[in-house]
Amino acid sequence: MNKLIIIFLLILTALSSVNAQYPDGKEILLKIDQNLSSENRIFISSMIIHGRRSSQTVKMKTWTAGEKKSFTEYLFPVREQGTKMLKLEDQLWIYSLIADRIIQIAGHMLRQSVMGSDLSYEDLMEDSRLTDRYKRKSDRYRNY
């Protein structure tokens, strides 16, 4: 009987130390935020837009400074090359090379589609951290 109690206590001790090694939800979100954000970034992204008849790929190069400033230049398709977007704080401007003009996107226009995709200009403006958008259930009524 004593051997069974000792084995049971050893198993409980081992299980409790295993559980202590797993990060909680808040810690996971913080690590993802740290991995996804930096003070300055340069990246090239591609977006495939599926239409009723065909699909098109849009390729962009983006420079960011912090969370409130970014500059994007369209690289592909050829007809969109040279189109640029500038985001400063809560304002967004687009320069169209074809029209040779600058357009400020504001108000209801922010909800419009980018290049016929499901992405809106408003989505482009949002750069919040996961820890600001999500809370694990046990943190629902607690502040970080």
Side-chain angles (χ1 to χ4, degrees), residues 114-142:
V114 176
M115 305 282 296
S117 70
D118 291 335
L119 184 71
S120 71
Y121 291 105
E122 197 169 44
D123 295 330
L124 290 176
M125 297 295 290
E126 196 172 292
D127 196 15
S128 61
R129 297 180 180 276
L130 293 177
T131 49
D132 295 337
R133 287 189 277 172
Y134 300 102
K135 294 188 186 295
R136 45 173 242 230
K137 282 187 177 187
S138 63
D139 286 340
R140 180 178 285 166
Y141 301 106
R142 220 184 314 160

Side-chain angles (χ1 to χ4, degrees), residues 87-111:
K87 173 189 154 192
L88 297 174
E89 300 290 327
D90 294 332
Q91 298 178 328
L92 179 67
W93 292 274
I94 296 177
Y95 169 73
S96 172
L97 185 64
I98 295 170
D100 191 29
R101 59 185 268 209
I102 298 170
I103 304 164
Q104 183 173 9
I105 305 294
H108 71 282
M109 289 177 60
L110 286 169
R111 292 186 286 276

Side-chain angles (χ1 to χ4, degrees), residues 45-52 54-60 74 77 79-80 85 109-124:
S45 59
S46 293
M47 175 171 55
I48 301 171
I49 303 166
H50 299 285
R52 290 184 181 162
S54 65
S55 297
Q56 77 169 351
T57 300
V58 178
K59 196 177 236 185
M60 301 164 272
Y74 287 87
R79 71 179 177 277
E80 297 298 332
M85 289 191 299
M109 289 177 60
L110 286 169
R111 292 186 286 276
Q112 290 184 354
S113 168
V114 176
M115 305 282 296
S117 70
D118 291 335
L119 184 71
S120 71
Y121 291 105
E122 197 169 44
D123 295 330
L124 290 176

